[in-house]
Amino acid sequence: MSLSASSPVPHAMPEDLDPDRRFGALDRLYGVGSSATLAGRHVVVAGAGGVGSWALEALARSGVGRLTLIDMDHVAESNINRQVQAVSRSLGQAKVAAMSARIHDINPACIAQQVDDFISPDNVATLMQQYPGVWLDCTDQVSAKLAMVVEARVQGLPLLVCGGAGGKTDPFALRAGDLSQATHDALLARIRQQLRKHHGWPPAPAGAARSRRRAPRMGVHCLWFGQETIRPAQWGPGHAAGLSCAGYGSAVTITATMGLAAAHWALQHALAEAP
C-alpha cells in the first residue's frame, strides 16, 4: 500500500487580514457563528481533478478550517479546460500541492492536508480512520468509489458520491438523490450493481423499470447529470468507452457545477454537526 501525506501545519491568519471581513458574509447568510463553526470543521475530498478542485475551491472560500486532499495525479495541459488549479505555471506539479497552495492564498488559516495517493480497497480503511470528517468522492474509478461507499457505511462517515462529468453539456441537468434514483450515469450504475450483487445492498424489485415500481433506497447520497452521455464523433461504433471521464469531451461548466454542488452538500453537513 502506498500512502504518503504531508504533516498538517496550521497557518496563522496574517495580522493585516480580517477573518470577519473575509468570511463574515457566511454569518449573515447561515446565521451568527456559522463562520466559526466552519472554521472548526474537516472535509475530505478524494480526487482533486475537474470536480474535486472546484469543490475544494468552494470549501476554502467558505472558511472550512481543515481540508484533506487525496490524489496522486499531476497537473497536465489537458486539465486546463476544467480544473481550477491547472494553469501554465502549475503544469507538472502534484494536483494536491497546486491546490493546497491556492487554498492557502484564499484562507491562510486553513490546514490543507495533502495525501499523495489514490484511493483503493487496500488503503480506504486506513484513510477513513485517519481522516474522519465529511467525505466527498470526486474520483472516476469504480474500485475507488465502491471502496469508499462500503467503508463509509462501516465507519458511519457522511459521504457524497459524484457521478460522471465527462460527455455532459447541460449543467441544468444536475440531480441529487439516492443512488437508487440515479440515471444516465454508467459509473453510478456499475457501483449500484456491485453493491447489490456483492455487498448486501437490497436488490431492485423484478421488473421495476418496466412497472415503475420504486427500488428501495440504498442510503448512498449522489450527484449525477440526467443527460445522455455524448460520445465523441471520432469514436466508431465498436469503441469501448469505459466508465471514467478519460477520452470523453469535458467542460468547466459541468465539472464546476458538480463540484460546487458537492461543496454545498458538505457545508450543510458541517453546519449541522453537533459542536
Side-chain angles (χ1 to χ4, degrees):
M1 177 181 72
S2 171
L3 180 60
S4 175
S6 64
S7 298
V9 178
H11 302 283
M13 186 71 77
E15 292 183 1
D16 60 339
L17 296 182
D18 184 349
D20 290 335
R21 183 167 177 79
R22 191 164 287 215
F23 300 113
L26 298 165
D27 286 344
R28 298 193 295 274
L29 181 64
Y30 296 127
V32 175
S34 296
S35 60
T37 296
L38 291 171
R41 297 297 188 242
H42 177 211
V43 180
V44 182
V45 180
V51 174
S53 64
W54 289 98
L56 287 160
E57 174 89 358
L59 293 167
R61 292 186 183 277
S62 299
V64 174
R66 184 181 178 195
L67 295 169
T68 297
L69 300 65
I70 305 176
D71 204 318
M72 200 176 174
D73 209 353
H74 291 74
V75 179
E77 199 165 14
S78 59
N79 301 149
I80 287 178
N81 79 310
R82 66 191 183 279
Q83 300 183 18
V84 71
Q85 80 277 45
V87 293
S88 294
R89 67 176 177 273
S90 68
L91 293 177
Q93 295 180 18
K95 288 183 179 180
V96 293
M99 195 68 223
S100 180
R102 186 174 176 88
I103 290 168
H104 183 250
D105 280 344
I106 294 167
N107 181 10
C110 180
I111 300 171
Q113 175 84 48
Q114 301 171 41
V115 179
D116 185 25
D117 210 341
F118 291 126
I119 291 278
S120 73
D122 294 330
N123 64 18
V124 67
T126 300
L127 287 171
M128 284 191 157
Q129 288 167 8
Q130 188 172 357
Y131 304 109
V134 179
W135 275 67
L136 299 180
D137 164 27
C138 302
T139 67
D140 60 7
Q141 296 297 319
V142 170
S143 60
K145 290 181 172 298
L146 193 60
M148 279 184 275
V149 170
V150 173
E151 191 61 32
R153 183 172 71 165
V154 171
Q155 297 195 30
L157 295 177
L159 169 71
L160 177 73
V161 179
C162 293
K168 308 290 183 176
T169 58
D170 183 6
F172 297 106
L174 185 67
R175 303 288 182 266
D178 188 77
L179 179 59
S180 63
Q181 303 169 314
T183 64
H184 302 87
D185 194 299
L187 196 59
L188 294 183
R190 178 65 65 84
I191 302 302
R192 183 168 56 218
Q193 177 192 51
Q194 293 294 311
L195 290 175
R196 287 169 171 167
K197 185 175 182 180
H198 299 295
H199 298 281
W201 263 259
R210 293 189 299 274
S211 65
R212 298 183 181 274
R213 294 173 62 191
R214 182 173 296 177
R217 288 182 172 268
M218 302 177 73
V220 180
H221 303 285
C222 297
L223 294 176
W224 69 92
F225 288 96
Q227 173 195 7
E228 293 290 347
T229 303
I230 298 172
R231 293 168 58 92
Q234 57 268 40
W235 286 2
H239 185 96
L243 296 176
S244 73
C245 63
Y248 284 109
S250 59
V252 68
T253 53
I254 297 299
T255 62
T257 296
M258 181 172 274
L260 296 178
H264 169 75
W265 186 90
L267 292 172
Q268 295 305 302
H269 269 269
L271 288 168
E273 287 179 8

